Amino acid sequence: MARTRGSIQQLLVKAALLGVAGTLQGCGFNGAITHIQKALLHHGDQSGSQGISQSETTLPPSSGSQTLVANQGIEIPLSVKSWGDGLRLAISVNPVDASGNALPTQELVLDSGSSTLAFCDASLAQQVAPLQVSYVSCNNYNPGGSPTGYWGNFYKGSLDFTGVLQLDSSYYSVMQQQESMPCIDGFQGIFGIAFRQLDSAFSDNSITFQPFSDSGAGIQCPDQPDAEFVPPLMQFLGSSAGPAQVGIFWSGQTGRSEGALYLEEAATSNVHYTQGSVVGQAALGELGWYDVNIQQMALSSTGQAWTDFQCNPAAGTAGACIMDTGTPILSVPKRIYQSIVQLYESSGSSAQALGSLSVILAGSQAAPVTLEFPIARLLEKGWIQPGGSGIILGLPLWAFYYTVFDINAGAVTFVAAPQDTTTTPQMELPWVLGEEGLEAALEKRGSSVNASRGDTASGVAVQLAPESSTASPPDTPDTQGHERRLEEDSPIHV
């Protein structure tokens, strides 16, 4: 879930946020970034190589961790399955009680757009009660739309990942109340793997903490976090002797072990890295999210190009462009999506004529990094939708590229994944466009969400989303650091 970021230090925390998502009415995402930038001016940049260290206001990390894979890094298998409006990566986690007994396995959404690990099953609270600390997690994800969020106590204990990795003394939460979280369809919670600015905590004895709203407004989170925790993954990387590297793989398919999370040396020693083609290394921001500086987007077949995305918050821009495994689509500005629609209409439904969508990222040291996304496949899979002026490079990114995040270096390496080169020579125009064009279709259909129709000639399902079904990018959200606003008719992205 792309969660809007929290504070950098206590001053920022008090100025900016709520839990994984605070309900911030009237304060936009731009305002949250402004708070962060002001804090940086007063206290110095806490990102970059310090992204996994603790600040003065950060509660202590764990005493350590244990792994079953020594000197080779860690590989944790991931499943891929559907939840809500799209596919998600799933990671298996066993909370461990105070006696050292592993509790039943929980399947969590692996989310690079947030930082808290939270279990849905409220009954777990009784089993880990001795591990409870005096802080509460409270997060909102969808203000302005259907209430989406949770609150629950924080606990400090061990977490086991399929017997491959055990993290000791990690902070996690058990949801006491939740609305529309990934607690159905085989999911039992969320594992946020982003940076500490998004993992805020609230004192459980605060007289202002009243998370439940009788008015039906959903979970209500405080405005001022009392502390921030080092998230479990960052805690592990910060305390480990190995390189602080995170590799994420997705085959583009659904099923068990169709994805993998690689840590430390394993991030650059697996076959996806060693047998792949390295595209380049881009600069990685760490102000909460895994954010990148997109310098240009272009359509290869027409030469159209767009710049000035304002997605470099560390340099003072008002927006952000993030890499978010919890969002099941690529969310691009409306003007770019409109151009793709026009290209589709004028291409004679030829997949080859559509070409690719190019995304150029600022390099970590030298040359920019260019990513290519075949437009035909994006449309066939329903992997692209219009948003605002910001950009979310969601889960489909990993169908095309294996990524390695080097936390200390502030860089992300992209390795091209093998692709099916077969293309459909002719794609029939989907009904949502038809001969009358997008605008006429929207007028008839109102605010229809994704429309798809099977191409009887090729068997290819082409999906184009009306502009009304937008996934709000990180500059659209209304946040105090932890919530991301979506349009009222938008799909919920974690």
Side-chain angles (χ1 to χ4, degrees), residues 224-244:
Q224 300 181 357
D226 298 302
E228 48 180 25
F229 289 164
V230 177
L233 181 65
M234 291 301 154
Q235 163 203 307
F236 166 71
L237 294 175
S239 62
S240 172

PDB file of all heavy atoms in Angstrom, residues 224-244:
ATOM      1  N   GLN A 224      -0.562  13.252  15.933  1.00  0.00           N
ATOM      2  CA  GLN A 224       0.829  13.404  16.329  1.00  0.00           C
ATOM      3  C   GLN A 224       1.395  12.106  16.892  1.00  0.00           C
ATOM      4  O   GLN A 224       1.149  11.763  18.056  1.00  0.00           O
ATOM      5  CB  GLN A 224       0.957  14.520  17.370  1.00  0.00           C
ATOM      6  CG  GLN A 224       0.491  15.876  16.863  1.00  0.00           C
ATOM      7  CD  GLN A 224       0.635  16.972  17.896  1.00  0.00           C
ATOM      8  OE1 GLN A 224       1.038  16.718  19.027  1.00  0.00           O
ATOM      9  NE2 GLN A 224       0.321  18.187  17.516  1.00  0.00           N
ATOM     10  N   PRO A 225       2.143  11.373  16.114  1.00  0.00           N
ATOM     11  CA  PRO A 225       2.798  10.153  16.614  1.00  0.00           C
ATOM     12  C   PRO A 225       3.731  10.469  17.774  1.00  0.00           C
ATOM     13  O   PRO A 225       4.333  11.543  17.833  1.00  0.00           O
ATOM     14  CB  PRO A 225       3.567   9.652  15.407  1.00  0.00           C
ATOM     15  CG  PRO A 225       2.842  10.223  14.235  1.00  0.00           C
ATOM     16  CD  PRO A 225       2.384  11.574  14.677  1.00  0.00           C
ATOM     17  N   ASP A 226       3.851   9.535  18.680  1.00  0.00           N
ATOM     18  CA  ASP A 226       4.711   9.714  19.847  1.00  0.00           C
ATOM     19  C   ASP A 226       6.095   9.114  19.646  1.00  0.00           C
ATOM     20  O   ASP A 226       7.019   9.409  20.401  1.00  0.00           O
ATOM     21  CB  ASP A 226       4.048   9.069  21.068  1.00  0.00           C
ATOM     22  CG  ASP A 226       2.724   9.720  21.401  1.00  0.00           C
ATOM     23  OD1 ASP A 226       2.706  10.938  21.643  1.00  0.00           O
ATOM     24  OD2 ASP A 226       1.695   9.018  21.384  1.00  0.00           O
ATOM     25  N   ALA A 227       6.239   8.229  18.683  1.00  0.00           N
ATOM     26  CA  ALA A 227       7.532   7.583  18.422  1.00  0.00           C
ATOM     27  C   ALA A 227       7.474   6.957  17.044  1.00  0.00           C
ATOM     28  O   ALA A 227       6.422   6.903  16.408  1.00  0.00           O
ATOM     29  CB  ALA A 227       7.828   6.525  19.475  1.00  0.00           C
ATOM     30  N   GLU A 228       8.617   6.512  16.563  1.00  0.00           N
ATOM     31  CA  GLU A 228       8.668   5.749  15.317  1.00  0.00           C
ATOM     32  C   GLU A 228       9.538   4.527  15.552  1.00  0.00           C
ATOM     33  O   GLU A 228      10.522   4.570  16.282  1.00  0.00           O
ATOM     34  CB  GLU A 228       9.199   6.586  14.147  1.00  0.00           C
ATOM     35  CG  GLU A 228      10.450   7.364  14.426  1.00  0.00           C
ATOM     36  CD  GLU A 228      10.899   8.169  13.216  1.00  0.00           C
ATOM     37  OE1 GLU A 228      10.065   8.497  12.359  1.00  0.00           O
ATOM     38  OE2 GLU A 228      12.104   8.442  13.150  1.00  0.00           O
ATOM     39  N   PHE A 229       9.130   3.426  14.970  1.00  0.00           N
ATOM     40  CA  PHE A 229       9.855   2.166  15.131  1.00  0.00           C
ATOM     41  C   PHE A 229      10.685   1.873  13.896  1.00  0.00           C
ATOM     42  O   PHE A 229      10.318   2.231  12.778  1.00  0.00           O
ATOM     43  CB  PHE A 229       8.879   1.009  15.323  1.00  0.00           C
ATOM     44  CG  PHE A 229       8.168   0.997  16.642  1.00  0.00           C
ATOM     45  CD1 PHE A 229       7.039   0.223  16.814  1.00  0.00           C
ATOM     46  CD2 PHE A 229       8.624   1.742  17.714  1.00  0.00           C
ATOM     47  CE1 PHE A 229       6.374   0.191  18.028  1.00  0.00           C
ATOM     48  CE2 PHE A 229       7.978   1.732  18.930  1.00  0.00           C
ATOM     49  CZ  PHE A 229       6.846   0.949  19.089  1.00  0.00           C
ATOM     50  N   VAL A 230      11.789   1.196  14.096  1.00  0.00           N
ATOM     51  CA  VAL A 230      12.546   0.664  12.963  1.00  0.00           C
ATOM     52  C   VAL A 230      11.776  -0.556  12.457  1.00  0.00           C
ATOM     53  O   VAL A 230      11.565  -1.511  13.207  1.00  0.00           O
ATOM     54  CB  VAL A 230      13.967   0.255  13.374  1.00  0.00           C
ATOM     55  CG1 VAL A 230      14.701  -0.368  12.181  1.00  0.00           C
ATOM     56  CG2 VAL A 230      14.741   1.461  13.892  1.00  0.00           C
ATOM     57  N   PRO A 231      11.298  -0.544  11.218  1.00  0.00           N
ATOM     58  CA  PRO A 231      10.532  -1.684  10.697  1.00  0.00           C
ATOM     59  C   PRO A 231      11.363  -2.967  10.710  1.00  0.00           C
ATOM     60  O   PRO A 231      12.593  -2.921  10.650  1.00  0.00           O
ATOM     61  CB  PRO A 231      10.187  -1.256   9.270  1.00  0.00           C
ATOM     62  CG  PRO A 231      10.301   0.238   9.272  1.00  0.00           C
ATOM     63  CD  PRO A 231      11.412   0.540  10.230  1.00  0.00           C
ATOM     64  N   PRO A 232      10.703  -4.128  10.796  1.00  0.00           N
ATOM     65  CA  PRO A 232      11.444  -5.398  10.909  1.00  0.00           C
ATOM     66  C   PRO A 232      12.511  -5.619   9.847  1.00  0.00           C
ATOM     67  O   PRO A 232      13.631  -6.020  10.165  1.00  0.00           O
ATOM     68  CB  PRO A 232      10.334  -6.453  10.808  1.00  0.00           C
ATOM     69  CG  PRO A 232       9.130  -5.764  11.368  1.00  0.00           C
ATOM     70  CD  PRO A 232       9.243  -4.336  10.905  1.00  0.00           C
ATOM     71  N   LEU A 233      12.186  -5.347   8.572  1.00  0.00           N
ATOM     72  CA  LEU A 233      13.173  -5.608   7.535  1.00  0.00           C
ATOM     73  C   LEU A 233      14.368  -4.673   7.655  1.00  0.00           C
ATOM     74  O   LEU A 233      15.522  -5.094   7.548  1.00  0.00           O
ATOM     75  CB  LEU A 233      12.541  -5.478   6.146  1.00  0.00           C
ATOM     76  CG  LEU A 233      13.501  -5.750   4.986  1.00  0.00           C
ATOM     77  CD1 LEU A 233      13.980  -7.199   4.993  1.00  0.00           C
ATOM     78  CD2 LEU A 233      12.856  -5.419   3.644  1.00  0.00           C
ATOM     79  N   MET A 234      14.100  -3.389   7.887  1.00  0.00           N
ATOM     80  CA  MET A 234      15.198  -2.433   8.012  1.00  0.00           C
ATOM     81  C   MET A 234      16.021  -2.704   9.268  1.00  0.00           C
ATOM     82  O   MET A 234      17.235  -2.492   9.298  1.00  0.00           O
ATOM     83  CB  MET A 234      14.645  -1.009   8.020  1.00  0.00           C
ATOM     84  CG  MET A 234      14.082  -0.585   6.682  1.00  0.00           C
ATOM     85  SD  MET A 234      15.341  -0.657   5.373  1.00  0.00           S
ATOM     86  CE  MET A 234      14.312  -0.891   3.937  1.00  0.00           C
ATOM     87  N   GLN A 235      15.348  -3.183  10.302  1.00  0.00           N
ATOM     88  CA  GLN A 235      16.054  -3.556  11.526  1.00  0.00           C
ATOM     89  C   GLN A 235      17.042  -4.681  11.239  1.00  0.00           C
ATOM     90  O   GLN A 235      18.196  -4.648  11.674  1.00  0.00           O
ATOM     91  CB  GLN A 235      15.039  -4.000  12.562  1.00  0.00           C
ATOM     92  CG  GLN A 235      15.614  -4.789  13.725  1.00  0.00           C
ATOM     93  CD  GLN A 235      14.556  -5.637  14.383  1.00  0.00           C
ATOM     94  OE1 GLN A 235      13.508  -5.134  14.752  1.00  0.00           O
ATOM     95  NE2 GLN A 235      14.827  -6.922  14.533  1.00  0.00           N
ATOM     96  N   PHE A 236      16.600  -5.671  10.482  1.00  0.00           N
ATOM     97  CA  PHE A 236      17.481  -6.790  10.140  1.00  0.00           C
ATOM     98  C   PHE A 236      18.673  -6.322   9.320  1.00  0.00           C
ATOM     99  O   PHE A 236      19.822  -6.662   9.614  1.00  0.00           O
ATOM    100  CB  PHE A 236      16.700  -7.852   9.372  1.00  0.00           C
ATOM    101  CG  PHE A 236      17.583  -8.862   8.689  1.00  0.00           C
ATOM    102  CD1 PHE A 236      18.277  -9.808   9.426  1.00  0.00           C
ATOM    103  CD2 PHE A 236      17.736  -8.842   7.314  1.00  0.00           C
ATOM    104  CE1 PHE A 236      19.110 -10.727   8.803  1.00  0.00           C
ATOM    105  CE2 PHE A 236      18.561  -9.748   6.682  1.00  0.00           C
ATOM    106  CZ  PHE A 236      19.262 -10.700   7.427  1.00  0.00           C
ATOM    107  N   LEU A 237      18.400  -5.527   8.293  1.00  0.00           N
ATOM    108  CA  LEU A 237      19.487  -5.067   7.433  1.00  0.00           C
ATOM    109  C   LEU A 237      20.462  -4.179   8.196  1.00  0.00           C
ATOM    110  O   LEU A 237      21.669  -4.183   7.930  1.00  0.00           O
ATOM    111  CB  LEU A 237      18.922  -4.320   6.229  1.00  0.00           C
ATOM    112  CG  LEU A 237      18.093  -5.155   5.241  1.00  0.00           C
ATOM    113  CD1 LEU A 237      17.498  -4.261   4.174  1.00  0.00           C
ATOM    114  CD2 LEU A 237      18.923  -6.264   4.623  1.00  0.00           C
ATOM    115  N   GLY A 238      19.944  -3.404   9.152  1.00  0.00           N
ATOM    116  CA  GLY A 238      20.803  -2.505   9.916  1.00  0.00           C
ATOM    117  C   GLY A 238      21.696  -3.226  10.912  1.00  0.00           C
ATOM    118  O   GLY A 238      22.774  -2.745  11.255  1.00  0.00           O
ATOM    119  N   SER A 239      21.237  -4.381  11.403  1.00  0.00           N
ATOM    120  CA  SER A 239      22.008  -5.111  12.408  1.00  0.00           C
ATOM    121  C   SER A 239      22.854  -6.233  11.818  1.00  0.00           C
ATOM    122  O   SER A 239      23.699  -6.801  12.494  1.00  0.00           O
ATOM    123  CB  SER A 239      21.057  -5.703  13.458  1.00  0.00           C
ATOM    124  OG  SER A 239      20.161  -6.633  12.865  1.00  0.00           O
ATOM    125  N   SER A 240      22.626  -6.548  10.553  1.00  0.00           N
ATOM    126  CA  SER A 240      23.342  -7.645   9.925  1.00  0.00           C
ATOM    127  C   SER A 240      24.719  -7.213   9.453  1.00  0.00           C
ATOM    128  O   SER A 240      24.947  -6.055   9.116  1.00  0.00           O
ATOM    129  CB  SER A 240      22.535  -8.177   8.738  1.00  0.00           C
ATOM    130  OG  SER A 240      23.296  -9.118   8.010  1.00  0.00           O
ATOM    131  N   ALA A 241      25.634  -8.172   9.414  1.00  0.00           N
ATOM    132  CA  ALA A 241      26.984  -7.892   8.914  1.00  0.00           C
ATOM    133  C   ALA A 241      27.042  -7.923   7.396  1.00  0.00           C
ATOM    134  O   ALA A 241      28.019  -7.478   6.792  1.00  0.00           O
ATOM    135  CB  ALA A 241      27.970  -8.911   9.481  1.00  0.00           C
ATOM    136  N   GLY A 242      25.984  -8.445   6.775  1.00  0.00           N
ATOM    137  CA  GLY A 242      25.961  -8.533   5.327  1.00  0.00           C
ATOM    138  C   GLY A 242      25.569  -7.217   4.683  1.00  0.00           C
ATOM    139  O   GLY A 242      25.194  -6.256   5.368  1.00  0.00           O
ATOM    140  N   PRO A 243      25.635  -7.134   3.359  1.00  0.00           N
ATOM    141  CA  PRO A 243      25.256  -5.902   2.664  1.00  0.00           C
ATOM    142  C   PRO A 243      23.764  -5.635   2.818  1.00  0.00           C
ATOM    143  O   PRO A 243      22.951  -6.552   2.814  1.00  0.00           O
ATOM    144  CB  PRO A 243      25.622  -6.188   1.203  1.00  0.00           C
ATOM    145  CG  PRO A 243      25.599  -7.682   1.088  1.00  0.00           C
ATOM    146  CD  PRO A 243      26.053  -8.205   2.417  1.00  0.00           C
ATOM    147  N   ALA A 244      23.412  -4.367   2.954  1.00  0.00           N
ATOM    148  CA  ALA A 244      22.013  -3.972   3.133  1.00  0.00           C
ATOM    149  C   ALA A 244      21.331  -3.913   1.769  1.00  0.00           C
ATOM    150  O   ALA A 244      21.063  -2.848   1.222  1.00  0.00           O
ATOM    151  CB  ALA A 244      21.934  -2.621   3.841  1.00  0.00           C
TER     152      ALA A 244
END
